[in-house]
């Protein structure tokens, strides 16, 4: 199944307890695409300014990522994010955001991408998510991401988006904020009632809990003490998960769980180095080997 | 392998968002024993006052729990705890503690229990844990619990106990407090350097992470939205885990992981009702059925 992602492409500056990276490649659609491309071809839709360093595109070389939906807008500047992680690095502290081109009109979905069957709407304004979705003719499986900002400021718009998708991924704090329910297992059920039959709540180092129809399952993160930079972990998770679902063409609970295992492994690579370096190291062989390790961990007999 | 547990036996008053239970049976050794007895015979060592309601002992009826080490001390009063849970119920707030008989001399390990091979030292003063341990001739596998109070006030004594045991179970906050390391995966490694080759860090609803020699594995909790009373979850977890290890007589990483699955299932029963009611409902059949469900959840293909 053809997989389309729309999301941000940005230039990040990141500080963590282990070091700092300045003016490096980032953005939800970039992490997502690189992770998903390990399992499925990807169609990327996003926009950058004319200040975007051309050499950043090297990260996509050799991966089945179709860049026809990547617009370089003249006279505009690329989205920039400056963040910091402290302590257990479970949450980023935003020091500065320059929306730049992300504050302008959305990029267009190329006509050639209009037949995409699996769609991931990475985090952006919920109205924009629907506008992008409207450009895809007959998607089979649509999943969106969101964030605390939209839950707080555009709740009604977000509810309309949730009613239009098959699934949503969000983190534990966002799930609690959206539902005002402190128990995650109840929060997930409430979100299902808002529309999506598939809800995935990410818990950082604690793994995730997934709701697919009646089914509720939890899986742990891949345990690694080498956390260098958590940026993009959630998008890499979504990429691994959606890439596998697109390759499978099935979206039942068992398929979702197998996909979550791939997402977990993708995220574990992403956090081992700054920017996209961890995901670049994830060759097909390295990915399969870690997936095997993860499965071995989950075998309790 | 014969399994011995020493710990508290108490009378609890508990408030949770779902209700309240007053003057009910509680205590680490009680939860532990009932959970462990699903998998192995248990030898219980503990002390109560002469105010201890005899009918509380009914909870042990029909279970392979040897009560010869249960001392009823004349003129003394039973340990009492009054606690409250709010929000996501991940942490108890202690409203009142009456140590009573637990503040007096420790109970004796009966001579008939002196040959116990597997020993669990539930949470108490670390010097007392060693004193109890000294009464067992040649244990094969010793695991202790602890709490923030001892980490803060008797760190040196605790370090001596840690040097004398094979394993320790503690929660995430305690692991961080003990090691001053915010990343749990590093905290576990540091605790191993203090002595125990097996370290299990409990994370409540997020499951646990285990360190066995070089191996690090994480497993999720059993997802249940029916959390009525989290009291005794950790002790029930330890009971299920140690009961299985005692029944197996092996303590390698794979054995520990299989045991952790049993502990996880035991804890899931414990939290479904106030006091010991949840664990009482856990028949051998119900336990096996839920274990199968848990394993099915962890099968990602």
């Amino acid at each position: 199944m053809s997989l389309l992602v729309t999301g941000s492409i940005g230039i990040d500056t990141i500080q963590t307890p282990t070091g700092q990276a300045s003016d490096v490649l980032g953005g939800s659609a970039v992490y997502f695409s690189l992770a998903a491309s390990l399992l499925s071809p990807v169609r990327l839709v996003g926009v950058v300014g004319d200040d975007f360093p051309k050499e950043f595109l090297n990260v996509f070389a050799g991966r089945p990522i179709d860049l026809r939906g990547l617009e370089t807008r003249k006279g505009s500047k690329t989205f920039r994010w400056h963040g910091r992680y402290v302590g257990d690095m479970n949450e980023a502290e935003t020091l500065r955001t320059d929306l730049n081109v992300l504050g302008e009109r959305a990029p267009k979905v190329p006509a050639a991408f209009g037949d995409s069957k699996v769609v991931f709407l990475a985090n952006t304004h919920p109205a924009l998510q629907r506008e992008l979705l409207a450009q895809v003719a007959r998607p089979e499986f649509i999943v969106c991401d969101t964030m605390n900002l939209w839950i707080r400021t555009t709740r009604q718009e977000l509810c309309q988006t949730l009613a239009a998708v098959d699934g949503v991924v969000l983190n534990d704090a966002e799930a609690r904020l959206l539902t005002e329910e402190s128990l995650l297992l109840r929060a997930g059920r409430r979100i299902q009632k808002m529309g999506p039959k598939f809800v995935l709540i990410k818990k950082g180092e604690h793994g995730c809990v997934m709701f697919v129809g009646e089914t509720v399952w939890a899986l742990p993160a891949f345990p690694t003490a080498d956390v260098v930079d958590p940026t993009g972990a959630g998008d890499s998770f979504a990429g691994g998960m959606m890439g596998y679902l697109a390759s499978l063409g099935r979206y039942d609970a068992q398929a979702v769980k197998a996909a979550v295992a791939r997402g977990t492994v993708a995220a574990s690579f992403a956090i081992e180095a700054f920017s996209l370096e961890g995901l670049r190291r994830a060759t097909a062989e390295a990915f399969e080997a870690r997936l095997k390790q993860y499965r071995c961990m989950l075998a309790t007999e």
Side-chain angles (χ1 to χ4, degrees), chain A:
Chain A
M1 294 289 150
S2 43
L3 169 62
L4 179 133
V5 58
T6 74
S8 65
I9 302 166
I11 301 174
D12 290 348
T13 294
I14 303 152
Q15 294 162 258
T16 79
T18 64
Q20 163 149 356
S22 299
D23 299 328
V24 293
L25 178 61
S28 59
V30 178
Y31 281 101
F32 181 99
S33 296
L34 216 62
S37 71
L38 288 160
L39 299 149
S40 161
V42 187
R43 294 164 166 182
L44 187 156
V45 174
V47 56
V48 296
D50 53 17
D51 59 340
F52 188 75
K54 290 224 161 21
E55 63 272 21
F56 276 5
L57 295 176
N58 294 343
V59 78
F60 300 115
R63 302 283 187 116
I65 301 172
D66 191 329
L67 298 174
R68 281 180 292 174
L70 171 57
E71 178 192 346
T72 303
R73 195 169 293 167
K74 289 217 171 95
S76 293
K77 281 185 161 182
T78 304
F79 168 64
R80 283 180 176 265
W81 180 72
H82 184 175
R84 176 167 64 183
Y85 299 85
V86 292
D88 64 2
M89 297 197 265
N90 252 356
E91 208 169 353
E93 182 190 339
T94 293
L95 299 173
R96 184 175 174 158
T97 304
D98 298 308
L99 273 185
N100 294 333
V101 73
L102 288 196
E104 305 170 14
R105 69 181 188 281
K108 277 227 171 330
V109 175
F113 291 2
D115 63 348
S116 300
K117 291 301 172 204
V118 179
V119 177
F120 186 75
L121 304 164
N123 173 37
T124 188
H125 190 294
L128 212 60
Q129 289 179 317
R130 286 203 308 286
E131 191 186 318
L132 286 156
L133 185 57
Q135 300 174 57
V136 181
R138 290 181 187 203
E140 268 186 16
F141 192 64
I142 310 153
V143 177
C144 75
D145 193 356
T146 193
M147 73 182 291
N148 47 14
L149 176 67
W150 314 123
I151 298 172
R152 283 208 190 90
T153 62
T154 63
R155 181 178 283 262
Q156 264 198 315
E157 293 277 8
L158 178 59
C159 285
Q160 283 181 263
T161 296
L162 289 177
V165 298
D166 301 291
V168 58
V169 300
L170 70 183
N171 71 33
D172 42 3
E174 291 158 358
R176 290 194 174 104
L177 185 66
L178 179 59
T179 61
E180 290 168 356
E181 169 61 60
S182 55
L183 282 176
L184 290 181
L185 293 173
R186 291 187 191 147
R189 288 295 185 213
R190 289 213 188 170
I191 299 170
Q192 282 184 308
K193 285 187 184 139
M194 298 177 182
K197 58 182 180 292
F198 163 48
V199 175
L200 192 134
I201 303 179
K202 299 172 289 177
K203 306 189 293 178
E205 63 166 326
H206 302 307
C208 70
V209 52
M210 67 201 90
F211 305 77
V212 192
E214 293 297 301
T215 305
V216 186
W217 282 327
L219 284 177
F222 185 86
T224 173
D226 301 323
V227 184
V228 172
D229 173 15
T231 309
D235 301 307
S236 304
F237 176 94
M241 178 182 80
M242 296 298 287
Y244 185 72
L245 288 173
S247 77
L248 205 62
R250 263 177 46 217
Y251 320 103
D252 57 279
Q254 198 65 36
V256 164
K257 188 169 55 167
V260 162
R262 270 77 179 181
T264 300
V265 169
S268 79
F269 279 105
I271 64 181
E272 286 177 353
F274 277 104
S275 185
L276 276 301
E277 195 47 40
L279 278 179
R280 287 183 83 164
R281 289 181 203 154
T283 59
E285 295 71 33
F287 190 90
E288 273 306 312
R290 192 169 293 182
L291 180 61
K292 199 175 159 189
Q293 252 185 298
Y294 182 66
R295 288 225 193 91
C296 166
M297 176 178 94
L298 298 179
T300 63
E301 204 58 18

